[in-house]
Amino acid sequence: MLKKSLMAKTDSVSDSKQIFLGDCYRVSVLTSRLIRLEQSVKGKYTDLPSQTVWFRKFEPVDFEVTEKNGKIFVTTSDIHLTVIKKSLSPLSVRFIKDGKTVFCKKEKNLKGTRRTLDMTNGKVKLDDGLITENGVYVLDDSKSFLINGNGEFVARQNGGKDLYVFAYGKDYRRTICDFYKISGSTPLIPRYALGVWWSRYHRYTQKEYVDLMLRFKRENIPLTVATVDMDWHWTDLNKQFGTHYKSRIGSSYPITGGWTGYSWDTDLFPDYKKFLKTLKEENLHITLNLHPADGVRFFETQYKEMAKAMDIDPESKADIPFVCGSDKFWNAYFDVLHKPYEREGVDFWWIDWQQGKKCDVDGLDPLIPLNHYHFLDNGEDGRMPLILSRYSGMGSHRYPLGFSGDTNISWKTLDFQPYFTANAANAAYTWWSHDIGGHMGGIRDDELYLRWIEFATFSPVLRLHSTANDLLGKEPWKYRKDICESAKKYLRLRHSLIPYIYTMDYRTHKQGIALCEPMYYTYPDKKEAYSVPNQYMFGSELMVCPITSKNDKKTGFGSVKAWIPEGRWTDIFTGEVYIGSKTLELNREIESIPVLAKEGAIIPLSADKGNGVNNPKELKILVFSGNGSFSLYEDNGKTDYDLHNAVTNLSVKFDEGKALLTVSVSQPVGDTAVIPEKRNITFVFKDIEPEKAECDGYDLFTDESGNACLTVMDFTAQNSANIVIKNAYRRKSADKKEKIIEVFSRLQGNNILKTLKYLPFKKLNDKQEYSNRIKKSFLSHSVKSLLTEKLEEE
């Protein structure tokens, strides 16, 4: 019998009012747009949860099932589904509201994600996702394993088909939300996982690793997660224990049978308990790498206890195999091998399974139970559970985080990752973690390193990582000075973003909206939204357009094709404003990428010093003029967060005609014990001219970037605030002529030739005249792109 912590809570038996039973099929109407179809020649159907679907009991909806001419017709208030009876194949869906009929084909699938990016260099094929352009998707769950009442994975016995028809049209978010209803929600990610991770495949000694963490601290780079790759345990077993394993080819140091291990290498870590304690004292959370495929062998510290648990004579020194079909093994695997280390400071485990999809249970992919049981067990003591592991198919969202594997260090790899990351939302998989900077091979390019970090700052997880090569470390100080300084700024920015990202984390958990979401989720009816695969929404307030190619040598700028949706969008770094809807190339120097805040955006940041992840005492709020609101979510960081959380509602209203901007902060609601007793809140008005702005009751000041700011001191759970900025005039963009001069001034090359190219623009004043001249000129594409963007800036 599996121990209690390994038993998931499910509710997989549908209400009888949801079901229609035919002669060789069963229809379960889960929602008015989600239909389950089962076929069984034996007349037996599945009510157990599967590895994908855990919940099937919902409020009954009105429906009708009829048969005619070898077809089954299922009708609800929203859809009319036609199914070929003999093969139980969904044929078509007619949407009742607009009368549109679509056929259940896959060619318009917008794709989802895949198991791993291991050994890849750029674009690769993705598995199908739940989202299609025609609005219908058929999820085939027929071959997935089931989970019995004892929490064990068991094969299906009845055969036949088990299909789920999703028919939501272009309501993509509802498609994903209803998938979460049947499969379980994405868990809440601990705050510390949203900061900056250090990871490297390297044989650190105890002293080297601690010294490195202290170096990051001296450099004011706030790390929150310390990862120790496989060399925390013994790896050269032949040398240490007299075994006779083959050596790993291509490794820079001996690995003989040592992929799997559970005993600390005391040559490298003479006092591992002190090591863990020291990292904890530095406010770091710890994960260790696992390769469990080789089981437990005679030399392990835990071998004797593990052998007894498995009824093996310890004196025999017989290998204890890794098995998926034994409750006894799973219980001992966690209680003997992992729990003691967790009590000593290990927060979670990096499950680096690379040994394929076969195990002792025929047909069961071992990655599925590994992810399932590891995640459940990690939350046993009340901590928010977490793992780092590869994707194992639909339903994997229940076991964050995803480890995308060992990729090539190249521009091609970087260029694929924004799309890959956001597009995984189509498979309801929202928490990918990449080897930022690339893992192996490839090229040394400092510009590539910084562009990767810029993207990672606005991605689900920022985990620096590289392979066992002395020359490939991702420490910022190993890159040229300007790149190093910019990288450090982004790593600090990422840490400050935790309050914003954690609120979006909670939104994902409760509402099913991904942190990184393709543009067509927000704008499903705009064809342009499908044309920018690398562009995505980063939470509710920001739109990100990563630059994933080298800067142009002539202009010194990198560029990215972007679609600006309707409304006013402001770059949080440059302050440039764009009015949509339009498609254009955005150009940025090496130190920034286009990150655009919507009109009325409110972005909470932590201004606390150090690497802490507690709810901040010093809160900084970026405010963009317009009308908007934001609900800042904070909790106690434990599994009972539903009982111990607080929400602070913020809003901004802007009357451009009266030049009045009003910001309101409500009194926090909920368990206010989770937030600091007193906190200072600094508001930064990102697009307001600071010179004329006035505010009664608060002292306005200008920060180092020239933004108007004010601070509400000693804000408590009993307080609220209403701030009115008078003379709140939006910043004006520089004169078009000055922008044109700036572009030409900065072009590299012969000054005489450059001047000749500029002269046709010198006497122009009208925007249309500039635009026509740019189109007719013989300037390079990169220069035309930069000039065109300058004209489009407001």
Side-chain angles (χ1 to χ4, degrees):
M1 184 82 175
L2 287 170
K3 63 175 187 168
K4 186 177 179 181
S5 68
L6 304 183
M7 306 280 282
K9 295 180 180 179
T10 63
D11 192 1
S12 59
V13 181
S14 295
D15 189 297
S16 61
K17 294 180 181 179
Q18 298 173 254
I19 295 172
F20 177 89
L21 190 62
D23 50 6
C24 60
Y25 65 91
R26 184 169 73 167
V27 176
S28 301
V29 180
L30 305 178
T31 77
S32 63
R33 293 174 178 265
L34 175 53
I35 314 298
R36 184 189 189 196
L37 303 171
E38 295 172 273
Q39 183 185 55
S40 174
V41 295
K42 299 178 182 179
K44 294 182 179 180
Y45 301 97
T46 298
D47 286 326
L48 289 175
S50 73
Q51 67 191 54
T52 304
V53 177
W54 285 12
F55 303 96
R56 304 188 187 100
K57 188 174 183 179
F58 304 110
E59 285 294 320
V61 298
D62 292 334
F63 70 94
E64 181 181 37
V65 178
T66 58
E67 291 186 31
K68 186 177 181 180
N69 298 331
K71 294 177 181 177
I72 304 167
F73 303 97
V74 184
T75 303
T76 72
S77 59
D78 288 310
I79 64 168
H80 183 77
L81 169 65
T82 301
V83 181
I84 299 174
K85 181 179 179 180
K86 185 176 180 180
S87 59
L88 201 73
S89 300
L91 178 63
S92 66
V93 171
R94 179 169 59 86
F95 293 95
I96 291 173
K97 185 176 181 179
D98 61 11
K100 181 180 179 182
T101 297
V102 300
F103 290 90
C104 304
K105 296 180 180 180
K106 293 185 177 180
E107 62 265 27
K108 293 186 178 180
N109 194 285
L110 293 176
K111 299 301 177 182
T113 190
R114 63 182 274 147
R115 186 182 184 94
T116 179
L117 295 179
D118 276 322
M119 310 301 172
T120 62
N121 183 26
K123 293 181 180 179
V124 291
K125 291 183 179 180
L126 303 182
D127 300 335
D128 281 350
L130 296 159
I131 303 302
T132 64
E133 284 191 44
N134 66 9
V136 175
Y137 178 70
V138 180
L139 173 65
D140 190 344
D141 200 36
S142 307
K143 296 181 179 180
S144 70
F145 267 63
L146 305 177
I147 303 173
N148 68 18
N150 296 322
E152 302 156 339
F153 286 87
V154 294
R156 292 173 181 256
Q157 301 298 318
N158 299 329
K161 288 186 174 181
D162 192 355
L163 310 176
Y164 294 81
V165 181
F166 292 78
Y168 291 87
K170 291 190 175 181
D171 194 347
Y172 301 143
R173 282 182 177 165
R174 189 174 168 193
T175 303
I176 299 300
C177 286
D178 279 5
F179 174 72
Y180 285 138
K181 284 182 180 179
I182 64 171
S183 62
S185 63
T186 298
L188 192 61
I189 308 301
R191 288 177 76 96
Y192 67 78
L194 306 177
V196 180
W197 299 34
W198 176 253
S199 179
R200 190 180 182 188
Y201 180 24
H202 183 76
R203 280 179 66 83
Y204 289 108
T205 66
Q206 182 171 332
K207 184 178 185 304
E208 285 173 340
Y209 200 100
V210 170
D211 287 348
L212 178 62
M213 297 299 99
L214 295 176
R215 172 71 186 272
F216 273 100
K217 185 178 181 179
R218 289 197 302 274
E219 297 281 349
N220 191 23
I221 300 173
L223 298 180
T224 59
V225 177
T227 306
V228 188
D229 211 320
M230 59 179 286
D231 293 291
W232 67 273
H233 60 72
W234 299 107
T235 57
D236 189 356
L237 307 186
N238 294 354
K239 176 184 177 181
Q240 191 66 31
F241 304 109
T243 53
H244 302 283
Y245 294 103
K246 289 183 179 179
S247 240
R248 184 195 178 197
I249 299 173
S251 176
S252 58
Y253 51 86
I255 300 176
T256 56
W259 283 101
T260 299
Y262 300 98
S263 306
W264 285 83
D265 181 338
T266 52
D267 289 345
L268 297 177
F269 298 90
D271 189 347
Y272 81 85
K273 293 182 181 180
K274 182 179 179 181
F275 171 68
L276 297 176
K277 185 173 182 290
T278 301
L279 295 185
K280 286 295 180 185
E281 289 171 348
E282 292 301 323
N283 210 20
L284 291 162
H285 292 77
I286 304 162
T287 183
L288 304 181
N289 177 276
L290 291 176
H291 290 86
D294 289 334
V296 184
R297 291 165 286 185
F298 73 92
F299 55 83
E300 301 287 7
T301 305
Q302 308 93 332
Y303 178 77
K304 185 175 181 180
E305 186 178 355
M306 192 74 182
K308 288 182 177 179
M310 296 301 295
D311 299 324
I312 294 174
D313 180 6
E315 297 301 319
S316 71
K317 295 187 177 181
D319 288 354
I320 304 170
F322 172 81
V323 291
C324 292
S326 167
D327 294 356
K328 187 184 297 183
F329 176 81
W330 283 118
N331 291 339
Y333 174 80
F334 290 108
D335 289 343
V336 176
L337 301 178
H338 297 87
K339 281 301 174 197
Y341 289 148
E342 290 180 17
R343 288 190 286 269
E344 291 166 345
V346 176
D347 291 281
F348 65 101
W349 300 90
W350 170 14
I351 307 155
D352 202 352
W353 182 267
Q354 302 179 58
Q355 285 71 34
K357 298 183 178 182
K358 295 182 179 181
C359 69
D360 58 295
V361 179
D362 188 37
L364 179 62
D365 179 352
L367 189 58
I368 293 170
L370 273 169
N371 290 352
H372 178 78
Y373 292 135
H374 259 286
F375 190 84
L376 291 175
D377 190 68
N378 190 242
E380 184 180 36
D381 62 356
R383 74 178 79 189
M384 283 187 181
L386 193 69
I387 61 171
L388 181 65
S389 186
R390 287 172 174 82
Y391 174 79
S392 59
M394 289 288 190
S396 295
H397 65 277
R398 294 187 300 262
Y399 320 116
L401 304 160
F403 165 53
S404 67
D406 302 338
T407 55
N408 196 263
I409 303 171
S410 71
W411 285 101
K412 287 182 179 179
T413 301
L414 172 59
D415 185 52
F416 184 62
Q417 283 189 1
Y419 163 72
F420 178 80
T421 304
N423 206 73
N426 292 345
Y429 198 69
T430 60
W431 291 104
W432 270 120
S433 167
H434 305 300
D435 290 1
I436 298 305
H439 183 73
M440 61 194 180
I443 58 171
R444 168 70 182 222
D445 188 329
D446 288 16
E447 183 183 332
L448 171 62
Y449 169 75
L450 183 55
R451 290 299 191 199
W452 222 316
I453 286 181
E454 289 169 348
F455 156 63
T457 300
F458 301 94
S459 74
V461 178
L462 200 169
R463 180 177 53 85
L464 300 168
H465 187 61
S466 60
T467 193
N469 182 320
D470 289 346
L471 306 182
L472 298 183
K474 298 302 189 297
E475 299 93 330
W477 52 86
K478 291 187 176 179
Y479 296 80
R480 72 176 194 245
K481 187 173 181 180
D482 62 321
I483 297 295
C484 171
E485 291 306 312
S486 289
K488 289 196 288 188
K489 288 179 182 178
Y490 274 94
L491 298 177
R492 293 171 194 140
L493 173 60
R494 173 65 186 208
H495 188 81
S496 73
L497 278 164
I498 289 176
Y500 174 74
I501 300 174
Y502 192 64
T503 298
M504 296 300 107
D505 176 10
Y506 184 73
R507 184 179 74 151
T508 299
H509 173 55
K510 288 295 186 183
Q511 299 179 36
I513 303 175
L515 171 66
C516 296
E517 199 178 55
M519 294 302 297
Y520 49 76
Y521 274 61
T522 306
Y523 305 96
D525 295 318
K526 299 292 185 181
K527 64 179 182 179
E528 296 90 345
Y530 300 83
S531 70
V532 282
N534 270 17
Q535 181 178 327
Y536 55 91
M537 295 300 298
F538 186 71
S540 60
E541 311 297 290
L542 298 172
M543 182 172 68
V544 181
C545 310
I547 293 176
T548 57
S549 59
K550 284 189 70 65
N551 282 9
D552 181 76
K553 291 182 179 179
K554 196 172 189 66
T555 65
F557 284 73
S559 65
V560 56
K561 175 188 173 183
W563 172 60
I564 311 298
E566 291 182 5
R568 175 187 170 95
W569 298 82
T570 305
D571 190 304
I572 67 170
F573 297 119
T574 67
E576 298 295 352
V577 176
Y578 305 88
I579 305 298
S581 172
K582 65 183 66 169
T583 299
L584 73 161
E585 286 189 357
L586 300 179
N587 301 267
R588 297 293 183 272
E589 295 180 89
I590 186 60
E591 70 271 6
S592 77
I593 58 172
V595 179
L596 309 184
K598 69 181 185 181
E599 190 170 17
I602 298 171
I603 304 166
L605 307 175
S606 171
D608 284 353
K609 294 181 179 180
N611 67 339
V613 295
N614 292 332
N615 300 321
K617 293 182 179 179
E618 298 287 335
L619 196 60
K620 180 188 289 187
I621 310 291
L622 306 186
V623 179
F624 293 81
S625 62
N627 298 311
S629 62
F630 190 90
S631 296
L632 175 64
Y633 172 83
E634 299 170 289
D635 61 32
N636 64 350
K638 298 180 180 179
T639 52
D640 60 353
Y641 57 83
D642 268 339
L643 301 175
H644 301 286
N645 65 73
V647 173
T648 305
N649 291 307
L650 303 104
S651 66
V652 57
K653 294 181 180 180
F654 182 58
D655 187 328
E656 189 169 12
K658 296 180 179 179
L660 288 177
L661 188 146
T662 304
V663 175
S664 299
V665 186
S666 71
Q667 182 178 336
V669 295
D671 182 3
T672 56
V674 304
I675 62 177
E677 185 177 352
K678 291 183 179 181
R679 68 175 10 153
N680 298 330
I681 307 177
T682 297
F683 293 90
V684 182
F685 302 99
K686 292 289 290 183
D687 59 350
I688 295 298
E689 291 284 0
E691 289 81 6
K692 297 181 180 180
E694 298 177 359
C695 183
D696 295 335
Y698 296 97
D699 294 328
L700 283 168
F701 62 94
T702 304
D703 66 11
E704 66 279 3
S705 300
N707 299 305
C709 307
L710 65 81
T711 301
V712 178
M713 302 293 291
D714 297 332
F715 187 86
T716 73
Q718 287 72 47
N719 290 151
S720 62
N722 196 61
I723 300 159
V724 178
I725 307 295
K726 301 175 183 177
N727 300 325
Y729 298 102
R730 283 173 164 167
R731 292 181 189 269
K732 293 183 179 180
S733 183
D735 180 73
K736 301 294 183 189
K737 184 180 290 291
E738 288 301 316
K739 289 186 176 184
I740 298 297
I741 292 173
E742 179 186 344
V743 170
F744 279 102
S745 297
R746 296 184 53 156
L747 294 182
Q748 304 297 297
N750 186 288
N751 284 328
I752 294 176
L753 291 177
K754 183 169 70 172
T755 302
L756 290 173
K757 292 176 181 178
Y758 162 69
L759 286 176
F761 293 87
K762 184 175 177 66
K763 295 183 179 180
L764 302 180
N765 290 296
D766 180 74
K767 178 180 176 180
Q768 189 60 49
E769 290 179 342
Y770 278 122
S771 181
N772 292 338
R773 175 56 62 184
I774 292 169
K775 291 176 182 178
K776 293 178 181 178
S777 73
F778 292 98
L779 298 167
S780 68
H781 173 80
S782 59
V783 177
K784 286 184 176 181
S785 170
L786 190 53
L787 289 169
T788 300
E789 182 190 354
K790 294 301 178 184
L791 291 181
E792 294 298 332
E793 294 169 350
E794 294 297 319

